[in-house]
Amino acid sequence: MAPFLVRWAGCSAKLFGLSVGALVLAGCHDAARPAADERRVFRYNQPEALSSLDPAFARNQANSWAVSQLFNGLMELDSTLLPVPALARRYTISPDGRTYNFVLRPGVRFHDSDVFASGKGREVKAADYVYSFKRILDAATASSGGWIFRGKVLEKPDGSISDTAFVAANDSTLRIHLKEPFIPFLGILTMPYAYVVPHEAVEKYGKDFREHPVGTGPFRFKLWDEGNILLYERNPNYWRTDQQGRKLPYLDAVAVSFLPDRKTEFLTFMQGKLDFLSGIRAGSRDLIMHPDGTIRADFQGKFTVQKAPYLNTEYLGFQLDSANLIGEQAVQGRALRDKRVRQALNYALNKPEMLTYLLNRVGHAGTSGFVPTALPSFSEKEVPGYTYQPQKARQLLRAAGYGPQRPLKLRLSTVLERKELGEYMQKQWANVGVQVQIDINQSAAQQDLVDNGRVAFFAKSWLGDYPDAENYLALFYSPNFSPAGPDKTHFKNAAYDKLYDEARRTQDVAKRTALYQAMDRIVVEESPVISLYYDEVVRLTQNNVRGLTPNPMNQLLLERVRKE
């Protein structure tokens, strides 16, 4: 990237494209603060494409990280993943669990912007939430986030959202009416989709709001040269302070680069030109970690390594619905509808060994159900899963009619980044007499094949939208058949559906946890999926970074981060 000049808070800031794409911010002065220097600029790389700075399109990590610096919602997650008030000062829930009443925090203002008559950001009001929530439900917006409210808030007889689903009782009081209790609803309100936006900015920019965002967050937008750089500056009017009463954020700026190559990204970090990395690929992981996950001596002390449970389950799925399977896929589909075959494929895998040899023990072997370790209902005792038992796998295959004279032949549909994992499993299945061919697809093609039920055996992952086991167990609830819903396997079980309906209405935490575990036991027994491992997030930070802590949602929260 060639050097170019931008305006930074009324002063010039020159950005130099270095050989590895690192960015240096220099020579910026304003009247209110000392000269910006590298110690107050946080630099991270975004290898995946960033498509929008509009919360209505925060469907992936790239977009979510970017918008989370600019916007806030009513609720946020605390360090234990419990939803707590953010722009809401307090809230109440009616005894029947259908009405949520939020009292807003006073004095919160949108960023200064020329969309407002005076150029000064106005105060956020309850009507702004009504507007923001209705906006993501509006077909004209084409938001990917309407699902957070559809089927949950009050509806008209024709299934459309009721005019009284969201009500501004006055400027500081918002009410949300649900059609029936939904216990994880507060968690849903912590998602970027539920961030508040001003109607003035959306009306002025229309679809271009994606590149002209106006929010309430700790940073405000300065520049986005797509594919090259994204710049934010400190919001001087941010509503939050630290425990000593100092205004947040501590940083002056955030600079995001877009290096698509993970090796280049890692080298850039190692050269000190990025402050943070989240997730490290196999080659880099082997470079800095021993197979047991400990840090190699050459890298100890050079940077900080943080590892934490991640709300992501890596799994293999079986398509149990023959409607869209044709030819060879249909033949495989018939074989995989036999539960004994699915169980055998599960027993044939040595998941702890797989984690050691391929993933440097980053993750937890999938020897329980589908719900990952970071959630309270996870329990290997209450939900025992599949351990490595190749002899039992052979017995089940024989009982299903397969053996040396009639070997089971399958094709596993996956993507390039999971090829090594697929080849490892291929060898283990061969050990019990199953012949598996690995089919590598582009990510978009793989998604389309799985969503539309055109492959019988596939690799996928499920990254939680919000921290509640219901979000994982929704993948096996029969009204949620894909492509409209997350049930990719088209699993259907009447007992399971009954438990799911009961759990999402149950307010007693212990009882709901027991219901979640009962549902997860059904998933284990029926085996519509093979839980490979429950992921962990590995973060690398430079040693001078303070206040950046990992969490199971892998959020990037920069308002309390400082560089020394």
Side-chain angles (χ1 to χ4, degrees), residues 181-424:
F182 185 71
I183 300 305
F185 189 67
L186 286 176
I188 279 181
L189 291 178
T190 69
M191 296 177 63
Y193 285 132
Y195 289 162
V196 65
V197 301
H199 68 88
E200 294 94 335
V202 177
E203 289 164 0
K204 176 173 180 175
Y205 294 114
K207 294 187 181 301
D208 289 338
F209 182 64
R210 66 179 286 279
E211 55 187 290
H212 295 280
V214 179
T216 59
F219 299 93
R220 58 188 185 186
F221 174 77
K222 284 303 295 183
L223 177 144
W224 183 18
D225 180 15
E226 293 194 40
N228 289 320
I229 186 171
L230 173 66
L231 295 175
Y232 296 157
E233 68 175 352
R234 180 179 184 272
N235 174 16
N237 302 314
Y238 191 46
W239 55 274
R240 182 172 268 159
T241 59
D242 67 11
Q243 291 182 333
Q244 288 73 42
R246 292 173 297 188
K247 291 184 70 65
L248 295 174
Y250 301 123
L251 295 165
D252 279 340
V254 177
V256 186
S257 56
F258 295 91
L259 303 171
D261 182 72
R262 286 286 190 170
K263 290 182 180 178
T264 303
E265 178 189 54
F266 180 73
L267 289 172
T268 306
F269 174 81
M270 294 301 297
Q271 293 170 347
K273 295 167 183 172
L274 292 173
D275 296 306
F276 156 82
L277 273 188
S278 176
I280 47 177
R281 295 300 186 259
S284 302
R285 192 167 54 233
D286 291 337
L287 182 67
I288 66 172
M289 287 182 171
H290 293 291
D292 66 359
T294 57
I295 304 302
R296 296 184 184 274
D298 289 350
F299 291 95
Q300 289 182 6
K302 290 188 175 180
F303 45 78
T304 302
V305 181
Q306 297 173 310
K307 190 164 73 168
Y310 188 21
L311 286 181
N312 180 54
T313 297
E314 294 284 334
Y315 72 97
L316 306 179
F318 304 104
Q319 179 51 252
L320 305 179
D321 184 351
S322 61
N324 294 320
L325 297 175
I326 59 175
E328 188 180 10
Q329 292 292 335
V331 174
Q332 294 176 65
R334 286 193 291 272
L336 293 172
R337 280 193 289 279
D338 188 326
K339 179 171 71 174
R340 295 169 298 186
V341 171
R342 303 195 299 270
Q343 292 176 332
L345 292 169
N346 223 323
Y347 279 121
L349 297 179
N350 188 337
K351 299 169 188 176
E353 181 186 83
M354 178 180 69
L355 280 178
T356 298
Y357 287 148
L358 299 181
L359 297 167
N360 305 83
R361 291 193 182 178
V362 175
H364 184 98
T367 53
S368 183
F370 192 72
V371 174
T373 58
L375 292 174
S377 68
F378 176 86
S379 170
E380 290 181 306
K381 178 181 177 182
E382 296 298 328
V383 188
Y386 293 89
T387 54
Y388 180 52
Q389 299 185 54
Q391 188 57 37
K392 191 163 187 175
R394 295 186 189 98
Q395 292 171 357
L396 285 164
L397 288 167
R398 282 197 299 271
Y402 298 99
Q405 304 305 315
R406 188 194 174 212
L408 175 63
K409 298 180 180 181
L410 300 171
R411 303 176 77 98
L412 174 64
S413 179
T414 187
V415 293
L416 184 61
E417 68 180 86
R418 296 190 181 95
K419 180 183 178 184
E420 189 178 20
L421 196 64
E423 290 172 343
Y424 175 88

Side-chain angles (χ1 to χ4, degrees), residues 88-241:
R89 182 167 59 178
R90 61 179 183 271
Y91 67 90
T92 57
I93 305 172
S94 64
D96 65 2
R98 296 172 186 262
T99 302
Y100 287 68
N101 195 79
F102 298 92
V103 177
L104 303 187
R105 188 180 300 276
V108 175
R109 308 185 75 86
F110 288 114
H111 297 157
D112 291 348
S113 169
D114 60 7
V115 303
F116 304 115
S118 63
K120 301 290 289 183
R122 65 167 176 80
E123 189 167 1
V124 178
K125 299 179 180 179
D128 293 310
Y129 289 95
V130 175
Y131 171 81
S132 299
F133 296 165
K134 287 185 175 180
R135 175 176 176 255
I136 67 167
L137 288 163
D138 187 343
T141 305
S143 169
S144 52
W147 66 268
I148 71 171
F149 294 127
R150 290 193 189 99
K152 302 175 184 71
V153 299
L154 202 60
E155 296 176 342
K156 297 176 183 177
D158 64 2
S160 61
I161 303 300
S162 169
D163 294 336
T164 57
F166 311 110
V167 177
N170 52 52
D171 284 350
S172 61
T173 305
L174 173 72
R175 293 195 183 104
I176 302 177
H177 297 282
L178 306 188
K179 65 177 186 178
E180 61 183 28
F182 185 71
I183 300 305
F185 189 67
L186 286 176
I188 279 181
L189 291 178
T190 69
M191 296 177 63
Y193 285 132
Y195 289 162
V196 65
V197 301
H199 68 88
E200 294 94 335
V202 177
E203 289 164 0
K204 176 173 180 175
Y205 294 114
K207 294 187 181 301
D208 289 338
F209 182 64
R210 66 179 286 279
E211 55 187 290
H212 295 280
V214 179
T216 59
F219 299 93
R220 58 188 185 186
F221 174 77
K222 284 303 295 183
L223 177 144
W224 183 18
D225 180 15
E226 293 194 40
N228 289 320
I229 186 171
L230 173 66
L231 295 175
Y232 296 157
E233 68 175 352
R234 180 179 184 272
N235 174 16
N237 302 314
Y238 191 46
W239 55 274
R240 182 172 268 159
T241 59

Side-chain angles (χ1 to χ4, degrees), residues 61 310-313 461-466 471-472 552-554:
Q61 187 178 85
Y310 188 21
L311 286 181
N312 180 54
T313 297
S461 63
W462 184 258
L463 176 60
D465 297 301
Y466 47 91
N471 189 237
Y472 291 80
M553 293 294 291
N554 199 21

Side-chain angles (χ1 to χ4, degrees), residues 22-61:
L23 302 171
V24 178
L25 180 64
C28 183
H29 300 267
D30 64 36
R33 295 177 67 82
D37 62 39
E38 197 144 346
R39 289 171 297 176
R40 290 195 293 272
V41 180
F42 187 86
R43 305 154 304 170
Y44 78 89
N45 184 61
Q46 183 54 66
E48 292 85 17
L50 175 64
S51 62
S52 179
L53 301 177
D54 182 344
F57 300 94
R59 63 176 300 167
N60 55 28
Q61 187 178 85

Side-chain angles (χ1 to χ4, degrees), residues 455-494:
V455 284
F457 190 26
F458 56 88
K460 282 291 291 179
S461 63
W462 184 258
L463 176 60
D465 297 301
Y466 47 91
D468 193 286
E470 179 273 337
N471 189 237
Y472 291 80
L473 298 169
L475 271 72
F476 310 102
Y477 182 54
S478 63
N480 287 344
F481 276 10
S482 63
D487 186 350
K488 314 290 186 186
T489 63
H490 285 206
F491 177 73
K492 187 173 184 178
N493 181 288

